[in-house]
Amino acid sequence: MNKNIETQVKQTLKKIKLNKKEKILVALSGGKDSTVVAYLLKKFGYNIEGFHIDLGMGGYSQRCLTAVKQLCKQLDIKLHLYDIKSEMGSSMCYIRTAIQTEARGKGLKNCAICGVIKKWIINKEARKLKADKIATGHNLDDEAQTFLMNIFKGSPKLSANSGAITKNIADKKFITRIKPLFYVPEDEIREYSKKMKLPVVYEKCPCALDSYRIQIRQFMNTLTAKEKINIMKNFDGISEKIQKLKTDEKLEYCELCGEPSRNKICKMCQLVNIKK
Ligand code: AMP
Ligand code: ZN
């Protein structure tokens, strides 16, 4: 089993041509996926540092922070911390609720809001830290769920930027993101993290209430690992064609915060108004 996950990740890293000299910032949540990413990248000799956002969500966030600190100590890597309460003035719970109570955030799911905010922070901070790449823990189940959700929504175009490496236009303000676990099923990652006795918080985020994704996840849990891999093989097979659907797309800079965006106002600023 170990051979599988390690071989698979090595193959993925080869496919995306990851260089051992590049500085890779691993976005560490404290969960099993990003922990395994850091562990494997370090094991394979890549130049990594850790980055963790303390979301200020009570005991859960405290346990995540402890796990991340322990991991970085164990791997002997530098850890960069971003405390959302001191940087943005409130915890993620508060920011999210404030957004949801306003018209612009009505109907938005917790995970969607949190995801946009985290992505914005990670790109901005990775740039400040002069990272060449950002690595996240997205796994095969996450990616297959997203791919299926986009098909069910009738918007395969939304999958155009998916993949083990971001396919955006090169831009000095946008740090390329990589997903070393893109082809690894969640169960294998969980098992591997336990076998290697890695410091991991296994509990789910207390705010993860995205009902549509939960429904898709339940459906996906009825599939075998082979079937999940096949979903992504379909994705790989049509990926280039999907990309051609978004010919008019270009990366601009958000008029409010200056961060790279596909629209005049980035998704983050559509939710929270941040001035340059
Ligand atoms: P999620 O959006 O929670 O599914 O997380 C997706 C990926 O984002 C994880 O695998 C991590 O790489 C990264 N991530 C999530 N939460 C955090 C956090 N609090 N700090 C840093 N990175 C995170
Ligand atoms: Zn913006």
Side-chain angles (χ1 to χ4, degrees):
M1 184 275 301
N2 286 354
K3 199 87 214 130
N4 279 347
I5 181 167
E6 293 183 7
T7 312
Q8 180 59 69
V9 171
K10 269 189 193 159
Q11 269 174 13
T12 306
L13 299 177
K14 198 170 160 198
K15 188 173 160 189
I16 63 173
K17 300 187 176 74
L18 196 64
N19 185 318
K20 297 219 163 134
K21 286 194 188 121
E22 292 177 294
K23 175 164 156 179
I24 303 158
L25 197 64
V26 185
L28 294 168
S29 64
K32 62 186 185 325
D33 307 298
S34 47
T35 301
V36 167
V37 166
Y39 177 81
L40 287 177
L41 287 179
K42 176 76 183 182
K43 181 171 178 167
F44 299 155
Y46 288 93
N47 173 18
I48 64 164
E49 293 184 4
F51 178 74
H52 175 68
I53 308 170
D54 182 348
L55 300 168
M57 302 191 324
Y60 171 73
S61 288
Q62 279 167 17
R63 289 189 284 283
C64 289
L65 180 61
T66 306
V68 165
K69 280 186 179 165
Q70 203 184 323
L71 175 78
C72 292
K73 201 170 163 203
Q74 197 176 313
L75 299 182
D76 193 23
I77 60 168
K78 205 164 176 179
L79 170 63
H80 304 275
L81 289 173
Y82 182 100
D83 185 319
I84 208 163
K85 275 191 187 161
S86 54
E87 299 281 346
M88 295 192 161
S90 331
S91 71
M92 180 59 90
C93 308
Y94 186 86
I95 297 173
R96 203 189 45 233
T97 313
I99 291 169
Q100 284 166 330
T101 50
E102 290 194 28
R104 60 188 164 190
K106 276 251 154 55
L108 282 180
K109 300 278 193 280
N110 288 354
C111 302
I113 297 177
C114 185
V116 167
I117 298 177
K118 282 191 294 201
K119 248 188 193 173
W120 185 88
I121 295 172
I122 294 171
N123 187 64
K124 202 172 151 96
E125 296 304 308
R127 198 173 63 236
K128 273 196 211 160
L129 294 167
K130 297 191 168 32
D132 297 299
K133 301 237 160 57
I134 294 162
T136 63
H138 293 94
N139 61 39
L140 176 72
D141 289 58
D142 297 327
E143 297 303 313
Q145 278 160 26
T146 308
F147 180 53
L148 285 186
M149 278 163 67
N150 291 339
I151 290 177
F152 294 153
K153 280 186 206 159
S155 322
K157 225 170 143 174
L158 291 176
S159 291
N161 294 319
S162 178
I165 184 162
T166 42
K167 300 183 183 88
N168 288 53
I169 303 151
D171 181 278
K172 62 180 187 320
K173 287 188 111 181
F174 179 81
I175 311 297
T176 301
R177 287 191 299 267
I178 60 165
K179 298 171 181 171
L181 300 175
F182 192 84
Y183 296 100
V184 186
E186 184 164 22
D187 291 346
E188 275 187 39
I189 301 167
R190 186 179 299 106
E191 232 177 284
Y192 184 78
S193 70
K194 286 189 174 160
K195 187 153 191 203
M196 296 300 155
K197 297 192 170 58
L198 298 176
V200 165
V201 174
Y202 287 99
E203 68 196 278
K204 286 252 168 302
C205 167
C207 302
L209 303 166
D210 184 340
S211 57
Y212 191 44
R213 189 175 278 273
I214 290 171
Q215 259 176 286
I216 303 279
R217 183 190 291 269
Q218 279 166 352
F219 161 67
M220 291 239 339
N221 285 345
T222 66
L223 304 179
T224 61
K226 179 103 181 61
E227 286 167 329
K228 289 178 196 170
I229 290 167
N230 283 343
I231 295 177
M232 294 326 281
K233 278 197 180 152
N234 277 293
F235 166 76
D236 279 347
I238 59 171
S239 165
E240 273 183 32
K241 289 201 174 109
I242 301 178
Q243 277 181 66
K244 287 190 187 124
L245 295 173
K246 48 149 210 171
T247 43
D248 54 346
E249 190 184 277
K250 60 175 195 277
L251 210 58
E252 306 185 40
Y253 297 125
C254 169
E255 285 177 3
L256 294 176
C257 70
E259 286 298 299
S261 163
R262 289 195 196 101
N263 305 297
K264 288 208 176 319
I265 309 288
C266 77
K267 280 192 195 163
M268 170 75 166
C269 292
Q270 284 173 24
L271 296 176
V272 278
N273 275 313
I274 293 186
K275 296 276 178 296
K276 245 189 240 191

